[in-house]
Amino acid sequence: MSRILMCGFEAGSLAVLSGYGGVSISTTQARSGSRSLYVSTGGGFGMLPLATSASELYLRVGIRPPIGGGEAIVFELRNSSNSNMLQVGRRATGILYYIIPGRTTINGTNLLPGDQWFCVQVYLNIASSGGRLIAYVDATQDVNYTGNTQATTPANVAYLVLGAGMAPLYFDDIAVNDTTGSINNSWPGRGGIYAVRPSGAGAYTDWSVSGASANWDAVDEVPPSTTDYVYTAEAGKIDTYQASDLSTVGSISAVRYYAYAQLNEAGEAGIKPIYYINNTAYEGTAIALEPSWRYTSEIVQTSPATGNAWTVSEINAMQLGVKSW
Amino acid sequence: MPERRIAQVLLETDKLATAPERRVSQVVLEVDKLASAPQRRVSQVLLEVDLDQEAVPTVVRQVGQVLLEVDFETLRTPQVDQVLLEVDFEAILSPQVTQAGAEIESAAAASRRVTLTGAEIESAAAASRRVTLTGTEVEIQDRRQRQASFLGLEVEIEPAAKEPLFAALRAVPTHQTSALLVAHIWKPEVGPPYKPRGRYLDTVPLVESYEHTLSADGGFTSASFSFRCSLSDVDEWLDDGLGRHVEIYDDALQLVWEGFVNQVRATAAGLAVSRGPLADIANRVVVAYREVELLGINPPGMSDEVSLTPPLDNVESQARYGIIGKVVQANQVTADEALNLAAHYLQQYAFPATAKELSLGDRGQELSLTVECLGYYHWLGFYYYSFTEALPQTRPASEKLALILDADPNGIFSSANAEIEENTLEVQAYEEYGRTAKELVQKILELGGPGPDYARYLLRVGPGRRVYYYRQPLDIVYRQYLSDPLQRVQTIAGLEVRPWAVQPAVWLQIPDLLVGRVRPGTVLERDPRVLFVESVTYSAPYNLRVSSSPPNAVARIFAQQARSSMNL
């Protein structure tokens, strides 16, 4: 693994979270793309699990704090036992503070006025001695701490909890890298997360459609509507769709594929993501479906066609799809 | 592919009402003697289904063989009347019996049951003691659907022109945060719509110098600040500084001022360079002229009608700075001369001017930048409003104001982002001759409200470019005591207002002036101890100038009486 979490809330649904309360998806504020997570009430939170727990990681969180709002927690990192490993909050004076529970509290030096977006990046290496906590607000270093960064055991981070204190508050462009692999193994950078979704018929139309006149039209809603969907009872069937273009240029760090899907009854069957590039359907990882609607997803860091970083032109020319197994 | 197995098989017979369900991994129905042996009982049934194990599962599965063996050893009667074989297909990946052979009585698609009569068992068992169903007689169809209602990608993009992560440290020193203003700076997205907060660029502590002016008519009016910088900063600001969005915050995170960069001045080693002002740019040009009539008139006459050339655009400038319109007034020209003038004006003013002054011999100055800003109220001067229909001839002033805001080609202003208090004073609807929105707004403000009180109305562009148009308030908001050595402005409740937070368009009372000499009940406008704050100019760190104006309803009465001869 390298990129172990990525979420821009562009799917438009809280179902991308593993747990939440007092939050909603905002379409009026977004650091990039067109959506963000809105924490409307104090204590409201949204929880995102990491694909794999890590003791050394790099985190990026886009936050839009309120004007005023007093002193409160903004986000937390929790371990696999759901214990806090790092809490990041904003004081009434507008600076951030970083708490490693039971170990230390460090004040940042940057002002974060309300009602504007900031990119907070954190490097955390959990160790009882020689651990590191480095944070940046936008391009400016906020803290640089060396010491005991191990709040408790297990010494890992497994969950990111957005909110849990301050409100109203917006989050966007979440990314977490661990230090494995050859790419995405350091600072995520100050990029943003944008959506690509079906916009027309693709090369394959093997699946049937219910509730819509065309297959692509059944799977393009944001947030998803289950009144229309595509389906197949057969394995090995492929559906692909033309997809919207990215309007932003730049280098692509990673891509996350989402499908909101289910089985109509319990059993062992599922889907594979399809990336149709240059007339070839590249299959993603097989994903088992459950007999209830939920998001399935995978993070793809490089193009399956080239093995290199994705490019904007490649994604703009690509068809999205799904294959049954 | 997963192996698909039957996890449960249930055999029910009418002879064995009490026989328990059995999970079958093997079905054995052994018949010792079919006809002659008394008291035979089915004790075990095994159904073996050999599914095709293909690399890629197909829709229709052929059952290779169904072997049914009945153990008649303990049967109490010589003949099994009926064997009901019930298969739990749920445990198979996706089974559905769609076809049955001769030995299978029911289609089983609905009931999922296979029923064999005793006679069939008997006959089959007579020879082999086995009932064998071949695969072709049974089909199992995958009926489980995969359903997807949404597909999409999230793509993370690093902007091509992003700043390096480890840019130079510009954190605010902690010891200064309690008394420091900071300027947050963005590169606008020109649009349309024009989005001032396009891309965040930097935060600059305002430790060198800072000044701003707020006005009752306009709101955020102007601001300027200076800071020391590197040569690369000078290059960047001169090249790309104009139009940047600026928000000034205090240490309590309260917005102090908001606007855009109108001009940049840099001093470096004896060289003073300025770029701008942005307000002088013209990238949409129209020439208003009275056409010279050449034919048949000697000397040439001049038309009474004002004509306008079609707008000429410089799209490159518009893509960089937004649409900035200018109407150039020209008298006594031909249509061709007017067009020629428009083209030359556009060529000269489409991009900002750069002025340079070199002063050698003096000791070189440190590198510094002075950024001069204007409030977005001034963008009302960058576009023109026209309404050339015959009707209505008049409309309420507040309604016309809303139309003027909605005419903004950049989308900075709109009636949707405005709080417009109703003003029923009827003003002329017709507008043709290319007056800017700012001029028309000022005319509306000069008129005020209808009689008999002819109230003053105010307009300011507030945070987020929200426009407020409202009747002048009559409440005292601030107090200042002449006897206060600290010269503090206080709220009416006695709370100190820090100098950079003092607002215009409110009434300020000086309670210790003319003590005992003003008759109680004197109306606000005639109370010499009270002034209306027309504008405030704050200079860091603590200097504040407050300008006031006397009530002037007479001016509004004159303006309204004269409007029939004006264009309002």
Side-chain angles (χ1 to χ4, degrees):
Chain A
M1 294 296 291
S2 295
R3 174 62 56 89
I4 54 177
L5 175 63
M6 172 177 167
C7 185
F9 305 102
E10 298 299 323
S13 169
L14 294 174
V16 299
L17 300 163
S18 62
Y20 59 85
V23 296
S24 60
I25 299 295
S26 170
T27 57
T28 58
Q29 295 291 345
R31 179 175 173 270
S32 61
S34 56
R35 285 169 173 78
S36 65
L37 181 70
Y38 175 54
V39 181
S40 55
T41 58
F45 74 99
M47 179 178 275
L48 288 164
L50 276 55
T52 178
S53 61
S55 61
E56 183 180 11
L57 56 81
Y58 295 86
L59 161 74
R60 181 191 65 213
V61 181
I63 63 172
R64 185 182 177 92
I67 292 176
E71 180 173 310
I73 294 295
V74 176
F75 64 85
E76 298 173 340
L77 295 175
R78 296 184 183 176
N79 68 8
S80 48
S81 297
N82 205 26
S83 298
N84 273 321
M85 302 301 283
L86 174 68
Q87 293 178 300
V88 179
R90 189 183 72 159
R91 299 205 186 281
T93 55
I95 61 171
L96 293 179
Y97 61 97
Y98 304 77
I99 300 175
I100 298 172
R103 306 300 178 204
T104 187
T105 298
I106 312 159
N107 285 328
T109 54
N110 289 275
L111 279 174
L112 280 77
D115 205 20
Q116 57 187 290
W117 284 102
F118 294 94
C119 179
V120 176
Q121 295 189 79
V122 174
Y123 166 65
L124 180 62
N125 184 4
I126 301 174
S128 56
S129 68
R132 298 299 303 273
L133 170 63
I134 304 173
Y136 281 78
V137 174
D138 293 327
T140 306
Q141 192 174 78
D142 207 35
V143 299
N144 189 343
Y145 170 77
T146 302
N148 185 350
T149 56
Q150 184 174 325
T152 185
T153 55
N156 62 36
V157 173
Y159 300 99
L160 169 63
V161 179
L162 304 170
M166 182 169 285
L169 182 62
Y170 296 87
F171 291 99
D172 200 359
D173 298 330
I174 312 300
V176 178
N177 293 341
D178 66 14
T179 54
T180 65
S182 58
I183 59 172
N184 290 327
N185 55 7
S186 183
W187 296 94
R190 293 163 62 190
I193 296 176
Y194 300 82
V196 171
R197 58 195 182 110
S199 61
Y204 291 87
T205 311
D206 291 350
W207 289 41
S208 304
V209 63
S210 173
S213 57
N215 289 30
W216 71 269
D217 199 23
V219 291
D220 68 331
E221 300 93 352
V222 176
S225 164
T226 55
T227 58
D228 60 9
Y229 54 87
V230 294
Y231 66 95
T232 184
E234 305 176 33
K237 297 298 181 185
I238 297 177
D239 233 21
T240 63
Y241 320 105
Q242 299 284 353
S244 58
D245 285 350
L246 293 166
S247 58
T248 302
V249 298
S251 59
I252 295 176
S253 309
V255 169
R256 185 172 190 176
Y257 172 99
Y258 278 105
Y260 195 62
Q262 71 159 9
L263 288 179
N264 70 330
E265 58 184 59
E268 294 180 24
I271 59 172
K272 294 178 180 178
I274 291 292
Y275 309 95
Y276 187 78
I277 304 169
N278 290 332
N279 300 319
T280 301
Y282 296 94
E283 296 182 9
T285 305
I287 303 168
L289 298 181
E290 302 289 334
S292 62
W293 291 104
R294 63 187 60 191
Y295 279 103
T296 61
S297 73
E298 70 168 357
I299 296 174
V300 189
Q301 303 181 91
T302 57
S303 163
T306 65
N308 299 321
W310 291 93
T311 65
V312 171
S313 58
E314 187 177 35
I315 285 183
N316 286 348
M318 181 178 71
Q319 294 178 19
L320 276 180
V322 61
K323 180 179 181 179
S324 58
W325 61 266
Chain B
M1 292 304 301
E3 185 178 5
R4 301 178 179 198
R5 290 181 181 275
I6 298 171
Q8 187 182 48
V9 172
L10 179 66
L11 178 66
E12 292 180 348
T13 76
D14 61 350
K15 301 291 186 182
L16 298 173
T18 58
E21 293 183 358
R22 294 168 174 79
R23 289 184 176 271
V24 178
S25 60
Q26 186 181 38
V27 176
V28 178
L29 182 61
E30 293 184 349
V31 179
D32 186 19
K33 289 183 180 179
L34 181 62
S36 60
Q39 296 184 346
R40 298 178 182 183
R41 183 185 294 271
V42 176
S43 63
Q44 192 177 37
V45 172
L46 170 68
L47 179 65
E48 290 180 343
V49 180
D50 181 14
L51 297 175
D52 284 342
Q53 297 300 315
E54 299 175 11
V56 177
T58 56
V59 179
V60 177
R61 298 305 181 90
Q62 298 288 329
V63 175
Q65 186 183 56
V66 174
L67 174 64
L68 179 66
E69 292 182 340
V70 181
D71 181 1
F72 287 94
E73 207 167 7
T74 57
L75 279 180
R76 296 181 186 281
T77 58
Q79 181 174 325
V80 177
D81 291 336
Q82 188 182 52
V83 174
L84 176 63
L85 182 63
E86 186 171 278
V87 180
D88 179 2
F89 288 100
E90 294 291 343
I92 305 177
L93 275 181
S94 46
Q96 180 181 4
V97 176
T98 57
Q99 180 182 343
E103 295 89 344
I104 301 175
E105 283 190 346
S106 69
S111 67
R112 299 181 186 179
R113 289 185 175 188
V114 178
T115 303
L116 307 179
T117 64
E120 290 164 339
I121 295 172
E122 183 178 6
S123 62
S128 64
R129 291 190 295 178
R130 288 190 172 188
V131 176
T132 301
L133 311 179
T134 63
T136 56
E137 293 161 337
V138 178
E139 289 182 355
I140 298 176
Q141 184 174 11
D142 188 342
R143 63 192 176 92
R144 181 167 293 113
Q145 291 178 1
R146 296 89 167 159
Q147 300 173 340
S149 76
F150 170 75
L151 286 175
L153 291 182
E154 283 190 342
V155 181
E156 176 170 326
I157 301 178
E158 289 282 350
K162 69 167 187 171
E163 289 184 25
L165 176 64
F166 300 103
L169 181 66
R170 272 222 185 101
V172 178
T174 305
H175 67 278
Q176 293 183 349
T177 54
S178 62
L180 190 69
L181 302 178
V182 295
H184 294 273
I185 298 160
W186 286 263
K187 171 77 174 171
E189 282 181 21
V190 172
Y194 191 99
K195 295 179 180 176
R197 279 187 175 188
R199 180 165 60 91
Y200 171 76
L201 295 175
D202 204 355
T203 296
V204 179
L206 303 179
V207 296
E208 298 289 322
S209 67
Y210 172 74
E211 181 175 290
H212 74 227
T213 298
L214 310 175
S215 302
D217 285 335
F220 300 124
T221 304
S222 63
S224 66
F225 55 89
S226 301
F227 58 96
R228 294 193 186 120
C229 60
S230 66
L231 187 58
S232 63
D233 286 337
V234 170
D235 291 345
E236 182 194 347
W237 274 91
L238 287 174
D239 178 56
D240 195 37
L242 292 186
R244 286 181 174 179
H245 175 69
V246 176
E247 293 180 15
I248 311 294
Y249 286 86
D250 66 7
D251 55 323
L253 309 181
Q254 298 300 310
L255 179 68
V256 173
W257 193 89
E258 175 186 303
F260 64 95
V261 176
N262 186 50
Q263 189 165 27
V264 178
R265 287 189 284 115
T267 56
L271 177 64
V273 183
S274 68
R275 194 87 193 275
L278 181 88
D280 284 354
I281 290 175
N283 53 37
R284 173 170 290 178
V285 173
V286 170
V287 172
Y289 64 101
R290 295 179 191 277
E291 188 164 10
V292 176
E293 296 173 341
L294 297 173
L295 297 177
I297 303 175
N298 190 13
M302 190 170 69
S303 169
D304 290 335
E305 292 188 4
V306 175
S307 300
L308 299 174
T309 61
L312 279 183
D313 289 334
N314 184 311
V315 294
E316 183 184 353
S317 173
Q318 290 177 353
R320 184 162 183 179
Y321 299 108
I323 299 171
I324 302 175
K326 289 280 189 300
V327 172
V328 181
Q329 303 293 334
N331 283 325
Q332 300 182 25
V333 295
T334 65
D336 287 343
E337 288 171 338
L339 283 172
N340 186 48
L341 174 61
H344 279 83
Y345 196 94
L346 184 69
Q347 186 178 25
Q348 181 164 340
Y349 292 104
F351 291 94
T354 303
K356 297 169 280 290
E357 182 179 334
L358 191 58
S359 176
L360 301 176
D362 293 339
R363 185 177 176 182
Q365 296 173 289
E366 291 186 3
L367 291 172
S368 70
L369 274 170
T370 298
V371 178
E372 296 179 353
C373 307
L374 293 177
Y376 283 97
Y377 175 74
H378 295 277
W379 274 80
L380 289 167
F382 293 173
Y383 70 95
Y384 297 83
Y385 169 80
S386 66
F387 179 84
T388 56
E389 296 177 25
L391 294 174
Q393 291 184 323
T394 65
R395 55 169 43 105
S398 51
E399 187 178 304
K400 181 170 182 176
L401 175 63
L403 292 173
I404 292 170
L405 296 179
D406 288 334
D408 179 10
N410 294 296
I412 292 177
F413 304 107
S414 72
S415 58
N417 188 29
E419 294 181 21
I420 300 175
E421 192 172 310
E422 184 180 30
N423 181 355
T424 58
L425 179 73
E426 289 287 323
V427 298
Q428 182 168 312
Y430 188 85
E431 293 290 349
E432 183 181 8
Y433 296 117
R435 283 197 287 178
T436 66
K438 188 178 179 182
E439 291 173 309
L440 295 174
V441 166
Q442 286 170 342
K443 289 293 181 187
I444 290 174
L445 294 176
E446 286 172 8
L447 291 170
D453 54 355
Y454 301 98
R456 179 178 178 183
Y457 277 75
L458 305 171
L459 182 140
R460 64 184 171 91
V461 178
R465 281 70 63 201
R466 192 166 182 83
V467 174
Y468 300 86
Y469 176 69
Y470 56 104
R471 188 183 172 115
Q472 183 184 30
L474 296 175
D475 302 322
I476 294 174
V477 173
Y478 294 144
R479 279 182 176 158
Q480 186 176 30
Y481 290 87
L482 294 176
S483 55
D484 182 1
L486 298 178
Q487 298 181 320
R488 290 169 298 186
V489 175
Q490 301 176 8
T491 66
I492 201 74
L495 300 175
E496 180 181 352
V497 182
R498 294 190 288 183
W500 55 82
V502 174
Q503 299 295 309
V506 297
W507 293 91
L508 183 148
Q509 184 187 47
I510 305 172
D512 53 355
L513 176 68
L514 297 173
V515 176
R517 302 186 182 215
V518 178
R519 184 172 299 174
T522 301
V523 297
L524 199 64
E525 293 93 329
R526 295 177 188 166
D527 189 337
R529 301 169 303 175
V530 175
L531 57 91
F532 184 71
V533 180
E534 200 65 42
S535 69
V536 293
T537 298
Y538 163 76
S539 299
Y542 299 113
N543 295 325
L544 181 70
R545 295 194 306 275
V546 176
S547 301
S548 65
S549 62
N552 199 353
V554 173
R556 292 189 287 277
I557 294 171
F558 277 128
Q560 291 184 25
Q561 289 175 343
R563 72 182 187 273
S564 60
S565 61
M566 299 168 58
N567 209 10
L568 275 167

